[in-house]
Amino acid sequence: MQNQQFRFLSFKEWVPDGLRFWIYLLFLACFQFSNGMYFSAMGQMSGGLSITMNDVRMMSAAMFAGLTMYFPLAFRLKMCFTNRTGLMCAAAGLAFCNLCAPHINNPLLFVLLCFAAGFLRLWGTFECLSSILPKIAPTFNYAVFLSFVFFVVLGVVHLFDLAGAYLIYYYPWQYLHYLAIILMGAVLLGAFLLMRPYRQMPKLPLLGVDWLGLILWSIFILALIFAAEYGNQLDWLNSPKIRIALGAACISLGFNIARIAYFRHPFLDLPAFKTRNLLNLLVLFALLSILLSGKTILQNAFISLLPFGTLNTANLNFFEFLGALPAAVFCWFAITKIKLPFKLLTFLGMLFVIFYSLIMFFLISPDLKIESLYLPLMCYGFGHVTVFITLTVYAQATAPFKNYFQVLCILGLIRTDIGSPAGEALFSRALQGVMTTNLASVEVLEKSLNANFRMIYEQALLAGVRELFGWTVIFGVFVLILICFAHFKGKIKRILPSLKAVYKAVRKEAQS
């Protein structure tokens, strides 16, 4: 997989060639750990900062929004700054974000901080990945490269999530940020001592970048995320805050459309929206986001009733990781070696995600043992990564290179910035609805037994989670049918004239 003739020229000459690749991987691992906030600390943060879980989810979504907004600027920043400067700027910025995070009590400021942290995190990640691309895939085969990226990045993310859960079990959540500062300090020091300001391509200043477009698209996506995350809490359109957010989203979208039509170099250009099959990719990513949101809401609600403990629950990340690793290897082999169709791979990935919901539907029980969750989580990890790699490679194969990163931004807007918050809001609202119905029916049945409210609540929640897992399976089967229809659509169009001719002949014979 590696080209032995390739050398990383951005390092100083005294750094051994055999270590340079691994130094980049260490830098990459450090950037994957550093965020503005951490999912494993959500419980402690909501209590320590006097903020709600909706605030914490809004901060998480803002981090992903900042990550998405980096894509259109990826090569402009790389051509403006050297690799060493880019790594040092991203590391210093993330260290500053983690330094400020424990001392901010205002949710709005925290959201902006997380947005900046997401942007800086992907900046550092891209500097590492773009540097090792010629080493991993000398022929620039993105199927090989993306499989390797997910193999490494997802592995690091899951392992650091597990390590973070253990850290906050024994120490306050602020220690996660202190650890991130240490890691970013190591990246900053390593880049300063080991690398030189080598420039691979001519310098291109950041002139002509549509910074106003970046702000307008950010306002659009953050306003939609706010409406999705707080809609249930604020009673949707009955709240003036939700109406203001939706109004801001509409106004910023209108300005963005006008800039696409009339501005010479908009942040997202019109040819990117005209990419072949982009609509199909957006629909698939949106459907996948909804399916994956079921795991976030329903599994967390179910596990909250079980006496597993914090560390045992955190260990479940490892089994999702065990499903993700073979998925990366499978996609590399299926796409590059046996060249399976993208639609077939998407179908298989979606099928494993549905297997997760189907297995969970039959496992819902107050007496469940934690070992029973290993298999469904491995199915979930395998399906998630398979679909993600397949669709990303397909986007690279269909989009022109100059528009590829803008297409990734558009897909990211749907996948993580709109699809995930909307899916979580949908499942939260549905769970609240079925809970209301189940509480009424269970309470009537249990009154004669003098059951306490906790028992009634647990029974209602278990019934509601099982019901929604069942609906998720039905929705997933509908998605599989759509994929099958898309796969055979061309064949159906080819045989349709023959079917019409046969129908007319039979009808004519019947009339005579």
Side-chain angles (χ1 to χ4, degrees):
M1 184 179 289
Q2 297 182 6
N3 182 7
Q4 300 298 329
Q5 302 301 319
F6 180 80
R7 294 187 74 236
F8 296 103
L9 300 178
S10 56
F11 284 89
K12 296 179 179 178
E13 288 299 324
W14 58 266
V15 179
D17 289 345
L19 292 179
R20 299 182 183 189
F21 175 77
W22 300 105
I23 291 172
Y24 270 125
L25 287 187
L26 289 176
F27 287 172
L28 178 63
C30 293
F31 279 113
Q32 298 319 298
F33 180 78
S34 302
N35 296 320
M37 61 83 57
Y38 299 89
F39 294 103
S40 53
M42 289 175 68
Q44 288 192 23
M45 288 180 64
S46 59
L49 297 179
S50 299
I51 57 179
T52 66
M53 294 300 290
N54 285 336
D55 294 329
V56 178
R57 285 196 291 267
M58 178 70 194
M59 297 167 193
S60 302
M63 187 268 293
F64 284 112
L67 186 147
T68 302
M69 289 296 110
Y70 170 80
F71 281 115
L73 300 176
F75 270 98
R76 293 302 304 270
L77 290 173
K78 188 169 184 63
M79 295 177 71
C80 181
F81 303 103
T82 64
N83 184 236
R84 178 198 192 197
T85 302
L87 288 171
M88 293 179 67
C89 289
L94 277 172
F96 178 77
C97 291
N98 281 278
L99 182 64
C100 296
H103 308 289
I104 295 179
N105 294 320
N106 188 305
L108 177 60
L109 291 179
F110 217 133
V111 166
L112 297 177
L113 182 79
C114 290
F115 181 89
F119 186 95
L120 293 168
R121 177 188 175 186
L122 191 56
W123 188 3
T125 300
F126 181 79
E127 289 292 341
C128 295
L129 292 179
S130 61
S131 299
I132 65 175
L133 171 60
K135 186 79 169 178
I136 300 301
T139 60
F140 290 85
N141 187 329
Y142 277 80
V144 176
F145 180 64
L146 288 174
S147 298
F148 174 82
V149 167
F150 282 95
F151 187 90
V152 174
V153 171
L154 287 176
V156 171
V157 168
H158 282 90
L159 292 179
F160 270 144
D161 283 345
L162 183 60
Y166 273 85
L167 181 64
I168 65 170
Y169 183 80
Y170 297 103
Y171 301 99
W173 63 271
Q174 290 88 348
Y175 278 69
L176 281 174
H177 295 278
Y178 301 152
L179 177 59
I181 293 172
I182 294 173
L183 293 176
M184 289 297 97
V187 172
L188 192 63
L189 184 62
F192 179 75
L193 295 177
L194 304 177
M195 303 180 72
R196 62 190 179 97
Y198 171 77
R199 188 177 298 279
Q200 190 174 3
M201 56 189 74
K203 182 176 181 179
L204 180 64
L206 295 176
L207 298 176
V209 174
D210 186 14
W211 299 108
L212 180 57
L214 169 63
I215 295 173
L216 289 172
W217 279 109
S218 301
I219 292 174
F220 167 72
I221 196 63
L222 290 176
L224 287 184
I225 293 173
F226 177 86
E229 294 293 351
Y230 292 94
N232 195 36
Q233 176 182 335
L234 300 177
D235 197 18
W236 296 102
L237 293 179
N238 291 326
S239 168
K241 293 182 179 180
I242 298 296
R243 295 197 296 268
I244 291 173
L246 293 178
C250 293
I251 293 173
S252 59
L253 180 61
F255 278 115
N256 285 323
I257 294 174
R259 293 179 71 81
I260 290 174
Y262 299 107
F263 196 67
R264 184 176 180 183
H265 296 293
F267 186 72
L268 295 178
D269 211 346
L270 184 60
F273 290 93
K274 293 182 177 181
T275 300
R276 182 167 59 91
N277 291 329
L278 178 63
L279 181 60
N280 294 339
L281 286 171
L282 293 176
V283 171
L284 286 173
F285 271 124
L287 296 176
L288 176 65
S289 298
I290 294 174
L291 285 173
L292 298 181
S293 299
K295 184 250 184 186
T296 304
I297 301 299
L298 302 181
Q299 180 178 295
N300 290 343
F302 172 53
I303 290 181
S304 65
L305 300 178
L306 304 178
F308 288 162
T310 303
L311 296 183
N312 288 330
T313 302
N315 289 334
L316 294 176
N317 288 325
F318 179 72
F319 293 93
E320 186 177 335
F321 165 65
L322 288 182
L325 291 187
V329 177
F330 168 73
C331 287
W332 165 76
F333 182 77
I335 297 175
T336 62
K337 300 299 182 183
I338 59 178
K339 301 186 185 302
L340 290 181
F342 288 110
K343 291 178 182 177
L344 178 59
L345 288 174
T346 305
F347 182 91
L348 291 175
M350 290 285 192
L351 188 62
F352 273 89
V353 174
I354 295 168
F355 278 160
Y356 161 79
S357 298
L358 182 62
I359 297 172
M360 291 297 295
F361 175 80
F362 292 105
L363 288 181
I364 300 299
S365 169
D367 303 320
L368 181 73
K369 294 183 179 180
I370 195 170
E371 292 82 5
S372 302
L373 295 175
Y374 296 165
L375 178 60
L377 285 174
M378 292 175 65
C379 290
Y380 175 88
F382 186 91
H384 181 195
V385 173
T386 299
V387 176
F388 200 92
I389 293 179
T390 301
L391 296 182
T392 306
V393 173
Y394 180 74
Q396 183 273 330
T398 56
F401 181 76
K402 67 177 183 178
N403 301 127
Y404 175 57
F405 286 90
Q406 291 190 348
V407 170
L408 287 182
C409 179
I410 296 170
L411 295 176
L413 292 177
I414 297 297
R415 183 183 66 248
T416 57
D417 301 335
I418 296 178
S420 294
E424 291 177 5
L426 177 65
F427 276 99
S428 298
R429 183 68 174 178
L431 184 60
Q432 181 182 6
V434 296
M435 279 289 294
T436 302
T437 304
N438 292 340
L439 277 174
S441 59
V442 172
E443 188 174 3
V444 171
L445 293 175
E446 298 291 343
K447 271 186 177 180
S448 59
L449 300 177
N450 296 323
N452 57 33
F453 178 77
R454 179 175 178 80
M455 183 182 297
I456 295 174
Y457 176 82
E458 290 179 356
Q459 292 183 10
L461 182 57
L462 289 174
V465 170
R466 180 185 292 110
E467 180 180 348
L468 290 181
F469 268 124
W471 282 110
T472 304
V473 173
I474 295 173
F475 176 73
V477 172
F478 172 73
V479 174
L480 292 181
I481 293 173
L482 289 179
I483 296 175
C484 289
F485 177 78
H487 182 72
F488 295 106
K489 182 173 62 175
K491 297 179 181 179
I492 293 174
K493 286 183 177 180
R494 286 194 295 268
I495 66 173
L496 195 58
S498 300
L499 293 176
K500 289 182 177 180
V502 171
Y503 170 74
K504 290 180 179 179
V506 172
R507 184 177 180 183
K508 184 177 180 180
E509 183 68 24
Q511 289 176 350
S512 62

